[in-house]
Structures are given as structure tokens and as C-alpha cells.
Amino acid sequence: QVQLVESGGRLVQPGDSLRLSCTASAPTGTKYSVGWFRQVPGKEREFVAAISWGGTSVLGRSTISRDNAKNTVWLQMDNLEPEDTAVYYCAADVLRWDTTNNNAPGYAYWGQGTQVTVSS
């Protein structure tokens, strides 16, 4: 069982940067990959980034990183635009801990989300 808590979301101006964090609680020795997704009301949940336990990541406009000793994963977002407004979720995959996955149904554990709003 992996419990996840996202934090860092807030109201920002276009062009600003944000770093979201995802703190995990899991039994000692648990390895897991992490994905970040975002969702706007009425829209499908969208993949943002993913990182394996070993640090392999999917590249994109956002940067994902982790510190396994701290059980924390970060999502660095720069030059934010209004289209980035959404609830951001982190998710953990224990079975595929050594790979990355961009499909939401493949993740068994999810956080409650953190709201990011980009508006002038």
C-alpha cells in the first residue's frame, strides 16, 4: 500500500514557475514508479510526466525528479500558461516500479490532487 499526498499548487500568473511535490508513505523496502496527471472538470485525465524508481523519466515541458530516501517526487513546471490550469495528481505503480507508464488505469495508488490555477 502506498499513500500519496500532493502539495504546492496555487494561483500563479502566466509565465510563472511552480514545483509540485508528491510525498509517499509506504512499507520499508517498497519500490514504485510515479506518474503525474492533470484533469480539468469534464475532461479526460491527461498524462504529464512519469519517473521510474531508478530515475528514468519521460521528457517533456515539465521536469520530474525524485529523492527515494525522502520518498518524494517533484514536478517542476516553468513558463506556465492558462491551459495548464487543472488539478494535478501523482500516482504510484508498485508492479512496474522499474519502468514509466503514461496510462492512468495502470496506476493503483493516487493522491487527492492539488489545484494549479494560471490566470492574469
Side-chain angles (χ1 to χ4, degrees):
Q1 188 79 212
V2 181
Q3 299 178 42
L4 307 168
V5 179
E6 305 95 336
S7 64
R10 62 183 179 88
L11 172 65
V12 299
Q13 301 293 311
D16 285 356
S17 297
L18 268 182
R19 188 175 75 166
L20 307 180
S21 64
C22 174
T23 301
S25 297
T28 301
T30 301
K31 297 180 179 179
Y32 51 91
S33 59
V34 173
W36 280 95
F37 296 80
R38 66 186 184 186
Q39 187 168 31
V40 176
K43 304 296 183 181
E44 180 72 19
R45 189 163 296 185
E46 178 186 11
F47 171 77
V48 177
I51 187 169
S52 72
W53 177 258
T56 299
S57 63
V58 175
L59 301 178
R61 186 165 66 84
S62 299
T63 301
I64 188 170
S65 60
R66 71 189 301 166
D67 185 336
N68 292 345
K70 297 181 179 180
N71 280 326
T72 302
V73 175
W74 296 274
L75 180 69
Q76 177 69 41
M77 299 185 290
D78 300 316
N79 194 27
L80 288 165
E81 302 175 355
E83 67 183 26
D84 295 315
T85 295
V87 176
Y88 284 71
Y89 301 88
C90 64
D93 184 348
V94 174
L95 295 179
R96 293 287 187 268
W97 58 271
D98 60 341
T99 64
T100 57
N101 187 285
N102 66 348
N103 297 314
Y107 292 89
Y109 307 103
W110 293 81
Q112 295 299 309
T114 184
Q115 177 71 48
V116 173
T117 302
V118 185
S119 179
S120 60

